[in-house]
Amino acid sequence: MSSASAVSTKPLILVDGSSYLFRAFHALPPLTNSKGEATGAMHGVLNMLDKLRKDYQPEQMAVVFDAPGKTFRDDLYPAYKANRPSMPDELRQQIQPLLAMIKAQGYPLLIIEGVEADDVIGTLAKEYAGRVIISTSDKDMAQLVDERVHLINTMSNHYLDPAGVNAKFGVAPERIRDYLALMGDAVDNVPGVDKVGPKTAVKWLQDYDSLSNIMEHAAEFKGKVGENLRAALAHLPLSYELVTIKSDLALPIEPEGLTFSPPDLEALRELYTRYEFRSRLNALDKLALPPANTQVTNLELKELPSSLSLNLSSTPESSPQPVSERQYQTILTQTELDQWLQRIQQAGEFAVDTETTSLNYMNAQIVGISFALQAGEAAYLPLAHDYLGAPVQLNREAVLAQLKPLLEDEHLGKIGQNLKYDRNVLLNHGICLAGIKQDTMLESYVLDSTASRHDFDTLCAQHLQHTTIHFEDIAGKGKHQLSFNQVALEQATPYAAEDADYTLRLHHYFWPQLQALDGQRLLYQQIELPLVPILSDMERKGVKVDALMLAKQSRELEQRMNELVEQSYQVAGQVFNLASPKQIQEIFFEKLGLPVLRKTPKGQPSTAEDVLEELAELGHELPALILEHRGLSKLKSTYTDRLPEQINARTGRVHTSYHQAVAATGRLSSTEPNLQNIPIRTPAGRRIRQAFIAEQGCQLLAADYSQIELRIMAHLSGDQSLLAAFAHGLDVHRATAAEVFGISLEAVTPDQRRAAKAINFGLIYGMSAFGLARQLNVDRREAQAYVDLYFARYPGVKAYMENTREQARAQGYVETLFGRRLFLPDIKARQAATRQYAERTAINAPMQGSAADIIKKAMIAVDRWLRANQLKTSMILQVHDELVFEVPLDELAQVQAKIPELMMHAVSLSVPLLVETGVGDNWDEAH
DNA sequence: TATTTCACG
DNA sequence: GACGTACGTGAAATAC
């Protein structure tokens, strides 16, 4: 690495700090700290700098501010900027601390006397052209744009290259100065031509090309503006000079002046504390290792969700122990095994973990099992390590036969991490794990569903400050990764035994917290834990998929896609990749000259679906072709091509994985494959459901809750009108329309019903008038009128929404019907967008989460009933508000009568729950 | 690896 | 001159 590598390809970002300072001050609400000192502009500028650094990850940057005092322009023209109102005190007071913060963060800060920030940027832009991006909200800077210097407005996300300048202003970047001089600038007191604004300036420049040419032909301009032009001739050169940004200054700036310095953490802590920048202090604390025990940190604790502060204040018994205090035994003899099993029996419960050949639960074979009885005391029982020179191990089949009664003993409690997996794997060996008493993954999930992950390594690191041995550490990674049977016992034992040991410690850590919270404990014990074996059975049962039918659909899709490709090539006049946004951009916006409706944050013209749809509506052929192609390509690659590959060779069925600790709201999720997003909305998509079929002699039964989230809203809000609508079995969208529009049910038009439906959905999502307006394609005021009308008619709903937000603010979390908590740390965020996002989540989570609770309870009830009656019907799929069963023909009548019954009465609400069922040979028919 | 797009409730 | 805008997921493809 030599210093000659100064020629970097990474961008140099030049930030017009002064322009953002003003914009942020005026655009943001007047935030203050508790002492009443204004802080809004500081927040705005710092956030903007963070965003730039994150988006571009530049190696070099310059944050440029105006220096106080006169500049050459004042000498040139004493009246320059004389019209500017003097800076408000609230803004002036923010400047010094802001500059100090920027500097302490390590940003290269430039403040050069005698010149304006613009000129510093202009000069640097020229010097480093080729990799310069200027970040500014000042339109005058557009004059600096060329092929090698681009502009980004970080507040509005508008990106300007030469074409962008042309599109935005109507003149090329080289003519921006002419344009500005003609218009003048009232605020900066730059004189222009009277009565000439942007429209006239553009028109003149289009006709006469340049300012100098306009001045030469000034005599030709007619009317009043012509006179004004001639009157302005004398001062136009001065105006031109005033608006011209200098790019040839001799600046005392070395390249080193443009690189980041390490942040001065102490200074930052002091500044952030002084101005009460809490989220920044938080971020600072995360950086600092170990977390500093300053007063500030303690202060922060009060703001954390209760579960978190509980974690921090209670010292778990199983605090980290040095390795020497752990005793991990490798069980290689029958005597050793017998001793352990005896102790397990006596203990009544134990932590257990299986090691296997594969993560795929259908194919995995057991390689070994580990046990733990108390913290630090664990054993690994290797059964199938088969690397060259592996020690002789106990016979797997014999040991499993000996273990079977223990593992299947419902009264011998098992403690594990994600025991669903262990249950699935043990079933591969004919053992049905019972007595699933504690699952640390679910304990963690119930205590805080918003934690990013609930896997073993993360939980140990986060709660026990213990770094576990990672699988990759002992098995390697990539394609050379060993399967566990190939791992040497010397390494396998500490790894496997640690799993059981620390699972137990995690349980010791979580359990007191759960016991302190009745709601969470019941949710965990009565819903989440009982669901584990049910999900395990659903996964292992799988669903039959007709591979031949999907293959046929793939061929048909391919044919149609080929036609679309051919047509597209003709329209575009060239060959290109229809799946590449980049190539589409080139052809759309450069070759065919379609209008750029929107740009991505990185400044590229967007080719997102809505943009394409809009273009298609404008009558352009190519966007429509590409949209259809995209849709079909998705169906083919994700479903018709991929699903057949995922059919298990042994069972001929597809086995998904349900994840019980992923979705923050309490829903399940499904992966490999995701069977919760099989198409249904389009005819082509729907055909895929025809490939989900019933076994010979069976039918599929689909049972789904009708409008469960709206019903929950009615229940939670207690709104009389809404409750009545459901009690009378009305079409709820029609009833809403009748109420909102003040007409009879019969008089509701399809459009009114559609609007009412959008409002109802919007309510569930915590809508804004803006969102509703976009959904309905009406203007904001009209949407707001609908919302107001709705809330007038359904005052209970309005009160509920307000209470929910208030509760979220007061408690820091919201709850579902069954006490599932969802923490919302952002509910008090200073940044409005962040805070509003949390508010919408607060509205949505109780409804989505209660629906999740209810269907989980229903699954437990249905499973219990099927077992009690020894039926052969299997529950095979769950899709949030729908359950799918594979039913032998002779059970069909009984099952179809009883299952909706069980689902409807899974809970008792103040509204009836409605369940609709369908039966068919395939999933499509069953709907 | 991150982003964009699109499938579902 | 003006924050960003409906909730929750997972998978595939392309761009970086």
Side-chain angles (χ1 to χ4, degrees):
Chain A
M1 293 287 245
S2 75
S3 59
S5 67
V7 185
S8 168
T9 51
K10 283 218 171 188
L12 165 64
I13 310 271
L14 302 174
V15 185
D16 183 359
S18 293
S19 83
Y20 285 117
L21 181 68
F22 283 94
R23 292 285 178 280
F25 178 72
H26 292 291
L28 296 173
L31 303 175
T32 60
N33 64 9
S34 64
K35 297 168 204 130
E37 296 167 315
T39 56
M42 294 194 259
H43 279 294
V45 173
L46 292 180
N47 287 339
M48 196 262 314
L49 288 174
D50 286 351
K51 182 166 156 38
L52 275 174
R53 200 165 177 181
K54 179 171 158 281
D55 287 351
Y56 292 95
Q57 316 225 320
E59 274 162 11
Q60 289 183 301
M61 196 160 173
V63 184
V64 189
F65 279 85
D66 287 325
K70 291 193 170 203
T71 71
F72 68 90
R73 282 193 186 78
D74 296 285
D75 297 333
L76 201 65
Y77 181 57
Y80 182 63
K81 293 198 174 175
N83 280 359
R84 283 220 171 159
S86 67
M87 190 185 285
D89 281 342
E90 291 78 34
L91 176 54
R92 189 191 313 276
Q93 286 155 0
Q94 295 185 60
I95 295 178
Q96 281 317 314
L98 172 63
L99 294 179
M101 286 180 197
I102 293 173
K103 203 159 180 184
Q105 286 195 6
Y107 284 101
L109 181 63
L110 293 180
I111 301 172
I112 297 178
E113 278 178 36
V115 291
E116 289 186 62
D118 294 7
D119 305 307
V120 177
I121 290 175
T123 300
L124 286 171
K126 180 148 201 186
E127 199 170 328
Y128 290 87
R131 56 189 185 88
V132 167
I133 298 173
I134 299 172
S135 175
T136 180
S137 55
D138 181 353
K139 64 179 182 339
D140 293 9
M141 289 270 192
Q143 66 183 272
L144 297 174
V145 169
D146 61 26
E147 288 302 340
R148 310 178 68 206
V149 176
H150 294 182
L151 231 58
I152 173 86
N153 181 334
T154 309
M155 288 187 102
S156 66
N157 252 334
H158 290 304
Y159 188 92
L160 288 181
D161 54 13
V165 172
N166 250 317
K168 184 168 178 194
F169 296 97
V171 297
E174 308 85 80
R175 292 286 162 253
I176 289 287
R177 288 177 289 172
D178 306 41
Y179 165 87
L180 294 171
L182 281 169
M183 290 196 301
D185 186 324
V187 178
D188 286 353
N189 213 19
V190 174
V193 178
D194 250 17
K195 293 283 176 292
V196 169
K199 301 288 176 196
T200 314
V202 167
K203 187 163 170 288
W204 285 2
L205 284 168
Q206 274 168 1
D207 294 346
Y208 288 85
D209 190 51
S210 69
L211 178 62
S212 54
N213 203 31
I214 288 170
M215 291 168 68
E216 271 177 42
H217 295 86
E220 298 166 17
F221 289 76
K222 295 186 192 114
K224 188 78 181 163
V225 274
E227 285 170 34
N228 292 344
L229 169 61
R230 288 182 283 279
L233 283 177
H235 66 242
L236 275 174
L238 172 66
S239 298
Y240 185 81
E241 198 167 347
L242 286 172
V243 301
T244 297
I245 295 171
K246 295 268 187 193
S247 56
D248 55 358
L249 302 176
L251 294 178
I253 302 165
E254 301 294 321
E256 301 83 66
L258 305 176
T259 53
F260 295 92
S261 321
D264 180 344
L265 296 177
E266 274 320 297
L268 281 176
R269 183 177 298 282
E270 205 176 311
L271 283 160
Y272 291 162
T273 307
R274 163 83 175 74
Y275 289 94
E276 300 168 14
F277 283 20
R278 293 179 309 155
S279 56
R280 286 185 182 276
L281 271 174
N282 266 338
L284 217 54
D285 288 339
K286 280 185 195 151
L287 273 180
L289 282 174
N293 275 328
T294 64
Q295 202 186 345
V296 179
T297 321
N298 292 332
L299 196 130
E300 286 300 307
L301 286 181
K302 290 179 191 147
E303 304 287 326
L304 293 170
S306 56
S307 80
L308 218 59
S309 28
L310 202 69
N311 295 355
L312 288 159
S313 55
S314 71
T315 314
E317 297 162 45
S318 50
S319 54
Q321 295 184 10
V323 179
S324 58
E325 287 182 29
R326 299 195 231 157
Q327 295 197 339
Y328 293 161
Q329 188 184 351
T330 312
I331 302 175
L332 288 171
T333 68
Q334 188 63 42
T335 317
E336 289 167 329
L337 177 61
D338 290 341
Q339 280 172 357
W340 265 92
L341 295 186
Q342 199 179 355
R343 293 177 58 203
I344 284 171
Q345 293 269 23
Q346 282 166 1
E349 64 175 39
F350 64 104
V352 61
D353 185 50
T354 54
E355 304 301 337
T356 69
T357 51
S358 164
L359 275 176
N360 178 322
Y361 63 82
M362 288 302 288
N363 302 333
Q365 294 290 306
I366 289 182
V367 173
I369 303 179
S370 51
F371 312 101
L373 281 168
Q374 51 185 314
E377 189 186 340
Y380 179 55
L381 167 61
L383 295 170
H385 289 258
D386 53 4
Y387 55 92
L388 205 60
V392 177
Q393 297 147 63
L394 289 170
N395 177 275
R396 181 168 75 182
E397 306 326 314
V399 168
L400 289 176
Q402 190 185 357
L403 285 175
K404 186 173 157 90
L406 277 70
L407 294 170
E408 294 188 343
D409 182 353
E410 211 175 317
H411 303 290
L412 184 58
K414 321 298 186 301
I415 301 165
Q417 163 77 11
N418 190 16
L419 281 172
K420 173 159 70 66
Y421 175 78
D422 302 275
R423 185 180 190 273
N424 280 338
V425 170
L426 285 164
L427 279 166
N428 289 342
H429 296 270
I431 294 172
C432 182
L433 186 68
I436 295 178
K437 194 173 179 190
Q438 309 287 357
D439 190 316
T440 47
M441 179 181 79
L442 299 176
E443 288 180 286
S444 167
Y445 181 61
V446 165
L447 283 168
D448 183 4
S449 65
T450 49
S452 60
R453 303 180 67 191
H454 305 272
D455 62 283
F456 181 66
D457 292 346
T458 305
L459 295 181
C460 287
Q462 200 172 335
H463 299 296
L464 306 178
Q465 290 76 48
H466 172 71
T467 307
T468 48
I469 305 168
H470 302 309
F471 187 76
E472 282 182 0
D473 299 337
I474 57 167
K477 60 179 177 178
K479 63 178 176 184
H480 299 297
Q481 187 171 58
L482 303 172
S483 52
F484 204 75
N485 49 309
Q486 297 165 300
V487 173
L489 286 193
E490 292 73 25
Q491 295 182 294
T493 292
Y495 171 84
E498 181 185 70
D499 275 1
D501 177 13
Y502 274 82
T503 297
L504 193 59
R505 296 181 199 223
L506 279 172
H507 171 60
H508 289 157
Y509 173 76
F510 287 131
W511 187 239
Q513 299 180 47
L514 275 172
Q515 286 203 302
L517 298 161
D518 269 347
Q520 330 304 106
R521 198 191 79 241
L522 290 174
L523 182 67
Y524 169 65
Q525 291 184 315
Q526 296 184 359
I527 294 184
E528 300 299 354
L529 276 177
L531 202 60
V532 170
I534 296 172
L535 292 176
S536 154
D537 286 342
M538 289 170 70
E539 291 177 345
R540 289 188 55 86
K541 179 76 187 183
V543 53
K544 190 168 182 181
V545 170
D546 185 341
L548 286 178
M549 183 187 280
L550 289 174
K552 182 160 165 268
Q553 291 184 15
S554 272
R555 288 195 299 275
E556 290 165 5
L557 287 170
E558 176 144 35
Q559 205 171 8
R560 174 68 190 141
M561 284 163 65
N562 282 336
E563 290 170 19
L564 290 167
V565 167
E566 283 306 319
Q567 283 181 40
S568 302
Y569 290 173
Q570 287 205 349
V571 178
Q574 71 171 85
V575 172
F576 67 103
N577 179 359
L578 271 73
S580 163
K582 203 176 169 188
Q583 295 183 29
I584 292 177
Q585 265 166 32
E586 281 170 20
I587 291 176
F588 270 29
F589 306 112
E590 284 167 36
K591 186 158 181 192
L592 299 180
L594 300 188
V596 178
L597 299 175
R598 189 154 52 81
K599 293 197 174 185
T600 65
K602 291 248 163 100
Q604 299 303 309
S606 171
T607 58
E609 195 199 10
D610 53 333
V611 174
L612 257 52
E613 267 171 10
E614 215 172 314
L615 287 169
E617 274 172 34
L618 289 172
H620 298 291
E621 191 182 357
L622 197 52
L625 293 173
I626 289 173
L627 275 174
E628 188 183 349
H629 184 270
R630 267 192 195 167
L632 299 184
S633 158
K634 174 84 179 180
L635 292 181
K636 183 166 184 289
S637 62
T638 312
Y639 302 106
T640 62
D641 282 354
R642 196 67 222 287
L643 277 172
E645 296 170 12
Q646 289 165 312
I647 296 173
N648 184 288
R650 198 153 39 83
T651 63
R653 297 168 73 101
V654 170
H655 303 267
T656 184
S657 291
Y658 286 107
H659 299 276
Q660 213 178 336
V662 170
T665 52
R667 275 190 178 180
L668 299 179
S669 79
S670 157
T671 63
E672 287 182 295
N674 180 354
L675 295 186
Q676 292 181 320
N677 73 344
I678 304 300
I680 193 168
R681 290 171 188 172
T682 63
R686 253 194 121 101
R687 291 181 63 206
I688 292 167
R689 293 200 170 211
Q690 294 167 8
F692 286 74
I693 55 178
E695 196 63 65
Q696 222 19 273
C698 291
Q699 292 259 286
L700 293 186
L701 167 73
D704 61 279
Y705 283 107
S706 162
Q707 273 139 5
I708 188 166
E709 292 183 3
L710 270 182
R711 286 170 198 267
I712 290 167
M713 184 171 87
H715 172 85
L716 290 174
S717 70
D719 184 277
Q720 289 307 312
S721 312
L722 203 53
L723 286 173
F726 281 122
H728 295 133
L730 301 182
D731 168 349
V732 68
H733 300 317
R734 179 172 288 273
T736 304
E739 283 281 355
V740 168
F741 296 109
I743 52 180
S744 71
L745 282 172
E746 297 73 38
V748 172
T749 66
D751 258 358
Q752 288 171 323
R753 185 178 182 282
R754 195 176 58 85
K757 189 174 172 182
I759 295 176
N760 281 332
F761 270 100
L763 286 163
I764 293 171
Y765 296 149
M767 72 177 164
S768 60
F770 179 95
L772 182 65
R774 203 174 54 173
Q775 191 67 36
L776 285 174
N777 217 357
V778 298
D779 71 44
R780 243 181 102 138
R781 281 189 33 227
E782 197 174 338
Q784 185 64 53
Y786 287 155
V787 174
D788 293 343
L789 219 47
Y790 181 96
F791 282 137
R793 301 287 178 177
Y794 298 96
V797 175
K798 183 172 193 216
Y800 167 70
M801 301 278 165
E802 281 165 4
N803 289 341
T804 304
R805 281 193 203 92
E806 187 46 46
Q807 187 200 356
R809 271 190 291 272
Q811 306 177 151
Y813 61 83
V814 289
E815 275 181 332
T816 66
L817 269 178
F818 294 95
R820 185 189 302 281
R821 283 182 187 177
L822 191 126
F823 290 101
L824 297 158
D826 285 339
I827 198 76
K828 290 181 177 172
R830 296 297 179 86
Q831 214 186 329
T834 311
R835 186 178 61 247
Q836 285 159 3
Y837 182 67
E839 285 176 358
R840 292 195 294 273
T841 310
I843 297 292
N844 175 257
M847 294 186 262
Q848 192 182 120
S850 296
D853 295 346
I854 289 172
I855 198 166
K856 284 176 173 177
K857 287 201 77 151
M859 291 166 77
I860 293 165
V862 169
D863 180 76
R864 190 170 295 153
W865 177 77
L866 289 171
R867 284 176 192 286
N869 292 276
Q870 300 189 329
L871 295 172
K872 296 197 173 64
T873 293
S874 307
M875 194 175 347
I876 55 174
L877 294 172
Q878 192 255 40
V879 194
H880 310 309
D881 64 357
E882 173 186 6
L883 296 174
V884 181
F885 300 86
E886 193 170 43
V887 190
L889 290 172
D890 61 343
E891 294 180 2
L892 193 55
Q894 186 190 4
V895 166
Q896 194 178 1
K898 187 67 178 179
I899 283 180
E901 195 69 14
L902 290 165
M903 290 171 69
M904 284 191 270
H905 299 114
V907 291
S908 172
L909 304 181
S910 45
V911 279
L913 287 179
L914 185 65
V915 173
E916 292 169 341
T917 62
V919 175
D921 289 326
N922 63 62
W923 197 4
D924 185 33
E925 264 181 41
H927 254 275

